Amino acid sequence: MTGQVRTVDGRVAGRRGQATRQKLLDCLSEMLSSSPYRDVKVIDVARKAGTSPATFYQYFPDVEGAVLEIAEQMATEGGQLTELLAGRSWVGKAGWTTAQELVDGFLEFWRRNDAILRVVDLGAAEGDKRFYKIRMKILNSVNNSLTDSIAELQSKGRVDKDVNPAAVAGSLVAMLAAVAAHQKGFQTWGVKQAELKPNLALLVHLGVTGKKPTK
Amino acid sequence: MTGQVRTVDGRVAGRRGQATRQKLLDCLSEMLSSSPYRDVKVIDVARKAGTSPATFYQYFPDVEGAVLEIAEQMATEGGQLTELLAGRSWVGKAGWTTAQELVDGFLEFWRRNDAILRVVDLGAAEGDKRFYKIRMKILNSVNNSLTDSIAELQSKGRVDKDVNPAAVAGSLVAMLAAVAAHQKGFQTWGVKQAELKPNLALLVHLGVTGKKPTK
DNA sequence: ACTTGTCCTGTCATGCCGTCAGCTTACCGA
DNA sequence: TCGGTAAGCTGACGGCATGACAGGACAAGT
């Protein structure tokens, strides 16, 4: 399905080529974790990978192009986030568990990929459709499930009619993403990680069901 | 109180100098709105301002330094956000109004300063303390009021004891910021601006008071 | 060993970075 | 009016990253 990996000038990459390509991506990933996006240079990535800048340009048009590649890989893995919600109940104690596990899984995913997600967020906010699509791909996996859950509760009359399921779900997902991206900020406000999670879960539960959880 | 404006090499800037400096900041601001942060070059800003790159370096150490300056100005204006909450009530119909106006004011502020806020967000997420402090300065103005409101309701027994006011307030503020930054994203999910606001206000009200608003 | 196609790099023109010396301009006191 | 002084600006330059290309190294099959 996914077309073969190709170099910029159209050649098909063989085993060795793919290895260097991947090594470049790995090194870029590392660099993004340790230095500001704006300061990541092709020459540094190449040096770190023990190769030359020219090699980098054989596989990627520029830094941004390579970042997109990494982000794409991550987005695919991010599909697993759907499992945090598949077949879960929002009623009674089970609802509280669902909320907690969603928060847990989400924060964990963000923490694992924070460097690349920062850049994706920026690109999306700047209006770049490619980054925007990737961000959607990740968030949709959670957002769609959440929207469905709310819509279902709504059809049963457990949630007010004037609630827009997509708007609420989207806002909650945005909240999770933002909190995950700025976890350190909460420490300044005197909030520890461990305290943060249950309060986030509370907000998610409130948003989805409109009611306080039964613990 | 605020020390005189100085050039990089320590001279005091006079009237003309401050004008050029401001012009450079304005042009930088514009460039940030129209092109990706990563691609904003000193030479472009200088050209746009009708001056030379060397002049830029007389007033700012680099692009980042100038961005910090703009952000600082914005953060000062952002102090007005406190007024959205000062002396407001979270009880009854007034509570619903408070939530609505908070959401309105917040989104408006973000929309007006979206370009610079994107960069501040990125810098903060990357761990740069200078950006981080600016982000705090803006969010604190809302966050502190919100935390106080929740704590007060809590002391009156209207909010559960196991709620951490700072954590909930911080999460809500993060949500507002994230939604504001990605307003376009919601259109893809079929949510219009006008629909988004009341649903956000609902979430804020739920988060603060734990109860649905009376409209 | 030879051929073939993949893979890598040295090299080069181009353009931005960041600094400095030196020129112009504005202000001020005599 | 006339220097004197400090502010303000820029041309020019070495240094480094970019991005393209052509040619050399390498692996695999014959």
Side-chain angles (χ1 to χ4, degrees):
Chain A
M1 201 78 234
T2 62
Q4 291 162 304
V5 180
R6 286 180 173 277
T7 58
V8 166
D9 55 334
R11 271 207 317 283
V12 180
R15 194 166 309 165
R16 191 148 80 101
Q18 291 201 24
T20 14
R21 197 184 125 101
Q22 191 56 50
K23 181 157 200 177
L24 283 167
L25 287 178
D26 292 344
C27 290
L28 172 55
S29 237
E30 252 184 86
M31 301 233 60
L32 285 175
S33 305
S34 59
S35 48
Y37 178 47
R38 201 168 195 282
D39 297 342
V40 172
K41 307 289 179 193
V42 169
I43 198 170
D44 297 322
V45 178
R47 253 200 288 267
K48 199 179 183 79
T51 178
S52 87
T55 303
F56 182 97
Y57 286 107
Q58 205 158 44
Y59 295 106
F60 312 103
D62 48 24
V63 171
E64 203 183 68
V67 166
L68 276 166
E69 198 73 23
I70 299 175
E72 207 85 61
Q73 285 180 13
M74 181 199 57
T76 306
E77 290 168 28
Q80 299 172 351
L81 288 173
T82 317
E83 291 170 23
L84 292 171
L85 287 169
R88 299 300 178 97
S89 160
W90 284 99
V91 181
K93 282 193 179 180
W96 178 234
T97 309
T98 304
Q100 280 179 303
E101 289 181 4
L102 171 61
V103 169
D104 244 34
F106 205 94
L107 290 195
E108 171 57 21
F109 177 77
W110 223 264
R111 215 173 42 70
R112 241 196 345 266
N113 303 102
D114 65 336
I116 192 74
L117 281 164
R118 280 198 299 262
V119 181
V120 172
D121 251 31
L122 174 69
E126 278 174 346
D128 186 310
K129 283 184 184 161
R130 299 165 303 170
F131 284 111
Y132 174 75
K133 271 180 101 170
I134 289 174
R135 189 170 187 269
M136 277 298 135
K137 191 171 171 183
I138 297 168
L139 297 190
N140 266 345
S141 62
V142 173
N143 189 64
N144 289 342
S145 310
L146 226 44
T147 305
D148 292 348
S149 300
I150 299 175
E152 197 189 326
L153 288 171
Q154 198 174 36
S155 72
K156 288 180 186 167
R158 289 165 165 277
V159 166
D160 287 354
K161 284 178 186 171
D162 51 357
V163 165
N164 181 326
V168 170
S171 301
L172 289 175
V173 169
M175 174 179 74
L176 289 175
V179 171
H182 295 282
Q183 290 183 53
K184 285 176 196 159
F186 283 87
Q187 289 164 15
T188 312
W189 284 331
V191 181
K192 288 174 191 162
Q193 256 270 353
E195 281 178 299
L196 184 57
K197 285 183 181 177
N199 285 281
L200 263 181
L202 169 65
L203 284 172
V204 170
H205 192 279
L206 271 173
V208 173
T209 68
K211 293 174 185 169
K212 293 178 194 171
T214 37
K215 299 181 183 178
Chain B
M1 199 76 237
T2 62
Q4 291 162 306
V5 180
R6 286 181 174 276
T7 57
V8 167
D9 55 337
R11 275 204 314 280
V12 181
R15 194 166 307 166
R16 189 148 81 103
Q18 292 200 25
T20 330
R21 198 183 123 101
Q22 191 57 48
K23 183 158 198 176
L24 284 167
L25 287 178
D26 292 344
C27 290
L28 173 55
S29 237
E30 251 185 86
M31 300 231 59
L32 285 175
S33 304
S34 59
S35 48
Y37 179 46
R38 203 170 193 282
D39 297 343
V40 172
K41 309 287 180 195
V42 169
I43 200 172
D44 296 322
V45 178
R47 254 201 288 265
K48 198 178 183 79
T51 177
S52 89
T55 303
F56 183 96
Y57 286 105
Q58 206 158 44
Y59 295 106
F60 311 103
D62 50 23
V63 172
E64 205 184 64
V67 167
L68 276 166
E69 199 72 23
I70 298 175
E72 207 85 60
Q73 286 180 13
M74 180 200 57
T76 305
E77 289 167 29
Q80 299 172 350
L81 288 174
T82 318
E83 291 170 24
L84 291 170
L85 286 169
R88 299 303 178 96
S89 159
W90 285 98
V91 181
K93 283 191 178 181
W96 178 234
T97 309
T98 304
Q100 280 178 303
E101 289 181 4
L102 171 61
V103 168
D104 245 33
F106 204 94
L107 290 195
E108 171 58 20
F109 177 77
W110 225 264
R111 214 172 43 68
R112 237 194 350 262
N113 303 102
D114 66 336
I116 192 73
L117 281 163
R118 280 198 299 263
V119 181
V120 172
D121 251 33
L122 174 68
E126 278 175 344
D128 187 309
K129 283 185 184 162
R130 298 165 303 171
F131 284 111
Y132 174 74
K133 271 181 102 170
I134 289 174
R135 189 169 186 272
M136 278 297 135
K137 191 171 171 182
I138 297 167
L139 297 190
N140 267 343
S141 63
V142 173
N143 189 63
N144 290 342
S145 311
L146 226 44
T147 305
D148 291 349
S149 301
I150 299 175
E152 196 188 325
L153 288 171
Q154 198 174 35
S155 72
K156 289 181 185 165
R158 288 165 164 277
V159 165
D160 287 355
K161 284 179 189 169
D162 51 358
V163 165
N164 180 326
V168 169
S171 301
L172 289 175
V173 169
M175 174 179 75
L176 290 175
V179 171
H182 295 282
Q183 290 183 54
K184 284 176 195 159
F186 283 87
Q187 289 164 15
T188 314
W189 284 331
V191 181
K192 288 172 191 162
Q193 256 268 347
E195 281 179 299
L196 185 56
K197 283 183 181 178
N199 284 281
L200 263 181
L202 170 64
L203 284 172
V204 169
H205 192 280
L206 272 173
V208 173
T209 67
K211 293 174 185 170
K212 293 177 194 169
T214 38
K215 301 180 185 179

